[in-house]
Amino acid sequence: MTIDRSFVEPNDQFPLGMRVLAVDDDPICLKLLETLLRKCQYHVTTTSQAIMALKLLRENKNNFDLVISDVHMPDMDGFKLLELVGLEMDLPVIMLSAYGDTKLVMKGISHGACDYLLKPVRIEELKNIWQHVVRRKKTDSKEQNNSDKPCHETEGGQAVTVTGDSDQNGKLNRKKRDQKEDENEDQSTQKRTRVVWTVDLHRKFVAAVNQLGIDKAVPKRILDMMNVEKLTRENVASHLQKYRLYLKRISVVASHQANMIAASGGADSPYLQMGFLNGLGNVPSMVGSAQFQNTDVRSLSSSGMLDRLNTPAGLGMRGLSSSGMVQLGHADNLINPINNQNKFHEVILPGNQNGNIQGMPTPFEFDQLQHKNGVDHIGDLSSANNDSMVFPISSGLSDGNMNGNSSRNSFLGAPHNPVMLQGQPQGIKRDELCGNQSFVTVASSNREYSSRLADFRGCIDSWPAVQASEIQSNSFTSNDCFKQDTRSYLMDRKSSIAMDTGNKSNNNSSIAVVPAGFPVLRTDLQSQAAPRQQSNAEQNMNDTQKQGWDENKQNPSHGPNLMCSFLNSMIPPHGVPDPFSQRLDLENTICHRNANGNNMIGQRNLVDSSTVQHNEVEQSAIGTTAKPKQGNLINQRKPQDGYSFDDVGSLEDLVTAMMKQEEDKSNMREGGWVYI
Amino acid sequence: MEVGQLQRQFVEHTASMFHEGFLDGQFSQLQQLQDESNPDFVVEVVSLFFQDSERLLNELTRALDQKCVDFKKVDAHVHQLKGSSSSIGAQRVKNSCFNFRNFCEEQNTEACFRCLQLVKQEYLLVKNKLETLFRLEQQILAAGGSIPMME
């Protein structure tokens, strides 16, 4: 890897001296790229590892103006890196690949790439890449002007905003973005005045939410409580959505592991659900109570999180992978970056396949899923160097409740330190967790979580005591909800998620955050899940499939996303330092997104899958704020049964489903959370 | 051998490589990138290519030898080989990778194996020719001459 340290400050002779970071595992291409870029008189830093690239970027994102990354890399999928960079650093990213299939290019765009170049790359093309930097800067500054509050992470928020605008149409994201940019330029304060969710603002928000109770936290009331000028109900609603996703995410992470385990069985939704539940279960313990949530969330959501929340669009954009489950994927990836068991993708995506996903998989199933996933995740988390998100979740989850979960908890806590993420298995006793039986353990530790899951209790009602006790119904509920979301989320994120490790199925399931309390065998889950939400789930699943979840057909991980987000939010890393929150934020955002609109994020990006996702979201519409406004494509099916896990496959679904149960009425009324 | 003669040989050799499709425009770009600040650029990149390709070809051979072939892995390797060969302009090698990918998707071990043989062949051919080219270059420089620029 070569680093050009000659640049210190932004160059006045832009584009000359523009600082580019090039990432490609192929040494020949990398060398060629470097030489070409130098010829264009840019400052070039190269690395053959995505992980290293992230590290460099995280060290100081101001060191670079642009990132060029290969799509196929061994240590991390290029799309995932793309998402992470976009979310965390909000830098323009150009994808590079020897294959120029339309599908791949579309994927790149939906993940937020500024451009997609084919190898061999020519110098003429490189001579113009600086335009992306300019464009982004322009957009950012526009957003900045719009915002009344101090921008926490201006770039991030802004970039997101832009994307957010275009989120509505996943397909035309780019186009819209450009169009919107123009619009924004003309009317700074028009329809979508970007609100920057600063730490303080978010704190108020969280306080309000906690006061009202997560179930009853409706945008209107939150808004009233916050009593902040110039904040609209819509702002709050969308933020709430993200927040919920975030919470789910956290829980999903926890459950993800369980899910993984469960998912390996191939159960789509059940696992997810389980995962969710687990995740939730874990979360509760960690969170303990609204209070916990409050503090944790707060801590978690430091500016970073706020930022993320702020930019649902951004998230959405990215998250919306073809499957629309981008978010999930993201979360998933984080969770199990390397874990084979990570089958989020699979779980989530396929969600449709089994129809298990429908609604809430039986508790048993969830449990398994979650355990598995959770376990797996944890393991992955540790190894997921680059998935900061993962960590947060897991750590949060396992807050010590689970034997093996400790690692999980650490994850949550870990988020703050990238190190954790980087695969420090320290807290993550993956082995313990993963153990196939680990989920059981987890379950036990989820006892605490259950309290947290109280919210989801409704969701879990349908699940009898299967669950092991600890997580209890709560977890299920959440799982269910999450499951869906997760699934969709995962689906979206399929590519980006680390789930790529091949544990597709796991991914899904893990996200499900299966309540630790359900030591259900995967098979059980599946069977059980199946009957649950038939109609919805099926539909969702089908839809999801359309979205292109083909990869994960096997796993019904619906709501891993949701869970994840949930989890994230729920399991605020104790004393998580800022970095963590940042990560969480990312995840949360992603999760939130999912949860919100059942893949709001996914939906945005997803061109077609979004709709599917929506459906799921709707179903699960846990009221996590499926903000319709955000353009969630999610169908607004108000899940009657509370779980429309149909193919949510994303966390969102799952979470929403769970939430839905809980807050069905309130949510519905609110209107802001319709998981459309 | 005198410089003039070497240079002529060099030119002919290069021309034939292009003519026969062993090299394409990308290689010319590489040559153009070579300058005073980067005098050995082409040699460096091509050497890297040799190293990396050989590694990939070995991996491919091993992967296809397995009882249960991991086509995803095979596809990944082929992808990389395609990318790197196209980056330096080894046209025929790149072309031989095209079908390879399709067969991977079809999970046709036999066909993949055949493709691999083809790729290996092309690779050896181009390697040979490039090595000759570099040798000529060195000889020219050693004899005090300069490398003729190709149109």
Side-chain angles (χ1 to χ4, degrees):
Chain A
M1 169 180 118
T2 66
I3 298 182
D4 185 341
R5 296 248 184 248
S6 57
F7 58 82
V8 177
E9 309 188 349
N11 202 310
D12 296 334
Q13 304 164 322
F14 192 86
L16 299 186
M18 183 176 81
R19 300 152 303 169
V20 183
L21 174 65
V23 190
D24 193 336
D25 64 318
D26 185 345
I28 294 114
C29 297
L30 195 60
K31 183 144 182 71
L32 178 63
L33 195 58
E34 182 185 8
T35 309
L36 286 172
L37 289 168
R38 290 239 161 82
K39 260 282 154 93
C40 296
Q41 296 183 280
Y42 300 140
H43 281 295
V44 188
T45 302
T46 62
T47 173
S48 61
Q49 293 185 318
I51 297 174
M52 180 54 91
L54 270 177
K55 180 161 167 287
L56 285 173
L57 286 167
R58 281 176 183 150
E59 266 171 22
N60 186 359
K61 65 175 167 184
N62 292 327
N63 273 349
F64 302 100
D65 296 308
L66 179 76
V67 179
I68 299 184
S69 166
D70 184 30
V71 166
H72 298 82
M73 290 189 287
D75 59 341
M76 187 197 290
D77 183 34
F79 293 119
K80 188 161 159 203
L81 176 65
L82 162 61
E83 282 178 20
L84 283 175
V85 173
L87 281 169
E88 287 186 30
M89 296 114 201
D90 187 40
L91 284 175
V93 182
I94 294 179
M95 301 306 294
L96 197 58
S97 175
Y99 290 147
D101 310 346
T102 306
K103 261 198 319 193
L104 276 181
V105 177
M106 179 64 83
K107 200 171 177 192
I109 295 174
S110 56
H111 278 68
C114 292
D115 206 347
Y116 194 107
L117 302 178
L118 287 190
K119 286 184 189 173
V121 70
R122 298 177 308 142
I123 197 164
E124 294 84 6
E125 290 170 0
L126 290 180
K127 285 215 168 101
N128 282 336
I129 57 176
W130 57 267
Q131 61 178 290
H132 301 295
V133 177
V134 174
R135 193 177 295 132
R136 191 162 283 224
K137 282 207 181 127
K138 218 159 157 240
T139 306
D140 285 353
S141 45
K142 263 188 272 178
E143 292 302 329
Q144 207 155 17
N145 294 337
N146 291 347
S147 169
D148 292 328
K149 316 211 177 336
C151 288
H152 190 68
E153 281 184 29
T154 307
E155 280 184 327
Q158 293 173 354
V160 175
T161 311
V162 180
T163 39
D165 289 347
S166 34
D167 271 355
Q168 321 255 347
N169 313 312
K171 287 184 194 169
L172 311 172
N173 272 347
R174 230 194 209 168
K175 247 198 244 170
K176 291 227 165 183
R177 194 188 322 178
D178 293 342
Q179 290 170 7
K180 289 275 176 171
E181 284 180 31
D182 294 339
E183 276 183 52
N184 287 344
E185 217 144 25
D186 300 336
Q187 331 149 20
S188 303
T189 42
Q190 53 136 285
K191 32 186 152 187
R192 208 182 301 227
T193 302
R194 189 99 197 140
V195 169
V196 176
W197 283 87
T198 60
V199 184
D200 288 335
L201 195 60
H202 183 72
R203 217 167 266 157
K204 282 196 195 149
F205 170 82
V206 174
V209 167
N210 290 332
Q211 236 174 307
L212 293 168
I214 191 79
D215 318 2
K216 302 231 183 335
V218 291
K220 185 84 180 79
R221 282 158 75 180
I222 297 174
L223 182 66
D224 292 340
M225 268 188 150
M226 284 174 73
N227 195 19
V228 172
E229 267 185 20
K230 305 207 184 179
L231 195 64
T232 67
R233 193 194 72 79
E234 287 74 23
N235 294 138
V236 174
S238 69
H239 191 67
L240 179 62
Q241 238 173 347
K242 291 184 225 164
Y243 181 66
R244 283 179 194 270
L245 278 173
Y246 166 68
L247 292 180
K248 280 188 211 161
R249 224 182 195 309
I250 300 183
S251 56
V252 169
V253 174
S255 58
H256 185 72
Q257 302 205 341
N259 288 339
M260 298 275 291
I261 301 180
S264 35
D268 297 350
S269 46
Y271 289 134
L272 283 180
Q273 303 195 354
M274 296 280 284
F276 258 134
L277 290 179
N278 272 339
L280 286 180
N282 292 335
V283 176
S285 46
M286 311 233 339
V287 179
S289 54
Q291 189 152 33
F292 171 82
Q293 187 180 9
N294 238 350
T295 37
D296 291 315
V297 175
R298 240 181 269 149
S299 57
L300 285 181
S301 56
S302 46
S303 49
M305 174 156 140
L306 288 180
D307 233 23
R308 310 255 183 264
L309 291 181
N310 264 338
T311 57
L315 283 180
M317 293 283 288
R318 297 202 195 279
L320 292 176
S321 56
S322 50
S323 53
M325 309 259 302
V326 177
Q327 300 216 334
L328 267 185
H330 194 51
D332 283 344
N333 286 331
L334 291 181
I335 302 186
N336 305 314
I338 318 186
N339 198 333
N340 287 337
Q341 308 216 327
N342 235 355
K343 297 197 190 147
F344 276 121
H345 285 297
E346 301 178 341
V347 177
I348 304 187
L349 297 176
N352 302 326
Q353 311 155 3
N354 305 333
N356 282 338
I357 310 197
Q358 327 209 330
M360 319 242 285
T362 55
F364 306 97
E365 299 172 347
F366 276 138
D367 208 9
Q368 289 207 324
L369 279 174
Q370 297 196 343
H371 281 294
K372 259 219 181 130
N373 290 335
V375 174
D376 291 339
H377 274 301
I378 297 196
D380 288 333
L381 285 172
S382 38
S383 42
N385 293 333
N386 31 27
D387 295 339
S388 45
M389 308 242 276
V390 177
F391 287 120
I393 299 187
S394 40
S395 37
L397 291 178
S398 45
D399 225 11
N401 288 326
M402 315 200 253
N403 305 337
N405 292 337
S406 50
S407 54
R408 281 227 218 134
N409 291 333
S410 52
F411 274 121
L412 281 184
H416 18 290
N417 47 44
V419 179
M420 284 264 322
L421 295 176
Q422 315 271 325
Q424 301 201 351
Q426 43 216 6
I428 312 174
K429 311 256 169 117
R430 193 181 339 197
D431 294 342
E432 297 174 1
L433 288 173
C434 294
N436 309 336
Q437 308 309 318
S438 51
F439 53 81
V440 178
T441 313
V442 174
S444 46
S445 47
N446 289 333
R447 201 184 306 243
E448 285 92 358
Y449 294 136
S450 9
S451 54
R452 184 95 180 82
L453 292 174
D455 293 344
F456 305 107
R457 192 167 297 249
C459 293
I460 319 184
D461 282 343
S462 53
W463 297 359
V466 187
Q467 7 191 314
S469 44
E470 278 99 9
I471 307 234
Q472 285 94 28
S473 47
N474 291 342
S475 17
F476 275 137
T477 318
S478 30
N479 285 343
D480 283 338
C481 303
F482 288 128
K483 202 138 123 182
Q484 296 202 335
D485 291 345
T486 315
R487 210 163 27 130
S488 44
Y489 183 79
L490 287 175
M491 306 261 274
D492 289 337
R493 298 249 164 200
K494 243 190 342 169
S495 52
S496 48
I497 303 184
M499 307 217 288
D500 296 334
T501 44
N503 289 335
K504 309 281 177 77
S505 52
N506 284 344
N507 293 341
N508 293 336
S509 37
S510 7
I511 304 202
V513 183
V514 179
F518 311 126
V520 184
L521 292 186
R522 191 172 324 167
T523 47
D524 290 347
L525 277 174
Q526 302 200 340
S527 50
Q528 312 214 0
R532 274 192 196 244
Q533 311 257 338
Q534 288 92 19
S535 50
N536 291 339
E538 277 171 5
Q539 289 173 9
N540 288 339
M541 300 208 13
N542 294 332
D543 292 342
T544 336
Q545 281 185 336
K546 289 189 224 146
Q547 302 195 353
W549 286 352
D550 29 345
E551 300 162 27
N552 294 334
K553 306 246 180 181
Q554 325 132 22
N555 305 321
S557 44
H558 293 289
N561 293 331
L562 285 181
M563 292 298 281
C564 283
S565 47
F566 233 129
L567 290 177
N568 281 334
S569 42
M570 303 198 26
I571 312 183
H574 305 286
V576 176
D578 286 343
F580 176 76
S581 44
Q582 295 225 341
R583 275 186 238 291
L584 281 180
D585 292 342
L586 271 179
E587 292 186 314
N588 288 339
T589 2
I590 301 192
C591 287
H592 274 286
R593 286 189 172 279
N594 288 331
N596 291 339
N598 264 348
N599 322 317
M600 288 185 11
I601 305 187
Q603 317 224 318
R604 283 195 239 259
N605 292 333
L606 284 191
V607 180
D608 45 276
S609 44
S610 47
T611 28
V612 178
Q613 303 279 338
H614 286 302
N615 291 333
E616 309 204 323
V617 174
E618 282 189 317
Q619 318 240 328
S620 41
I622 304 197
T624 24
T625 60
K627 233 173 126 87
K629 272 171 55 141
Q630 309 237 348
N632 289 334
L633 300 184
I634 304 179
N635 310 316
Q636 304 246 335
R637 292 199 259 185
K638 319 280 165 120
Q640 303 315 311
D641 46 13
Y643 324 117
S644 9
F645 292 109
D646 296 337
D647 26 84
V648 171
S650 57
L651 278 177
E652 292 181 341
D653 294 334
L654 192 49
V655 177
T656 24
M658 298 195 54
M659 310 274 288
K660 235 193 159 53
Q661 304 242 325
E662 300 289 326
E663 319 162 30
D664 223 322
K665 320 236 163 114
S666 50
N667 297 340
M668 296 306 185
R669 280 193 294 262
E670 204 40 37
W673 324 351
V674 185
Y675 283 91
I676 311 191
Chain B
M1 233 188 281
E2 48 117 3
V3 179
Q5 217 176 340
L6 286 170
Q7 285 174 330
R8 263 196 307 281
Q9 271 186 0
F10 178 84
V11 170
E12 276 169 22
H13 188 71
T14 311
S16 82
M17 278 188 84
F18 276 98
H19 192 63
E20 291 166 24
F22 284 103
L23 294 178
D24 62 18
Q26 186 65 21
F27 190 77
S28 309
Q29 276 219 4
L30 286 191
Q31 288 180 314
Q32 284 168 22
L33 283 175
Q34 183 163 297
D35 55 20
E36 302 77 36
S37 64
N38 221 339
D40 297 319
F41 179 63
V42 180
V43 177
E44 276 174 23
V45 176
V46 175
S47 310
L48 264 179
F49 171 68
F50 289 159
Q51 275 173 26
D52 204 50
S53 301
E54 265 154 47
R55 175 185 66 88
L56 285 172
L57 289 171
N58 287 338
E59 294 279 337
L60 278 169
T61 311
R62 212 151 21 124
L64 286 175
D65 255 346
Q66 305 289 323
K67 252 193 251 182
C68 187
V69 181
D70 182 353
F71 284 100
K72 253 174 130 183
K73 212 172 178 198
V74 174
D75 188 60
H77 289 319
V78 173
H79 175 84
Q80 192 169 347
L81 188 57
K82 180 165 181 261
S84 53
S85 58
S86 66
S87 292
I88 68 150
Q91 192 176 274
R92 278 163 68 143
V93 176
K94 175 187 74 167
N95 290 342
S96 61
C97 291
F98 270 126
N99 291 332
F100 207 145
R101 192 194 183 191
N102 295 334
F103 291 133
C104 278
E105 278 182 21
E106 292 172 18
Q107 309 220 335
N108 187 339
T109 310
E110 188 53 44
C112 281
F113 204 70
R114 280 200 302 270
C115 275
L116 179 60
Q117 298 311 310
L118 190 62
V119 173
K120 275 185 180 169
Q121 237 179 321
E122 291 297 338
Y123 166 72
L124 289 171
L125 277 173
V126 80
K127 177 173 183 199
N128 214 318
K129 291 187 180 271
L130 282 170
E131 280 175 342
T132 306
L133 195 73
F134 293 144
R135 214 178 19 249
L136 279 173
E137 254 187 36
Q138 280 169 3
Q139 284 176 330
I140 293 175
L141 290 172
S146 60
I147 311 297
M149 271 294 130
M150 302 296 302
E151 286 296 321

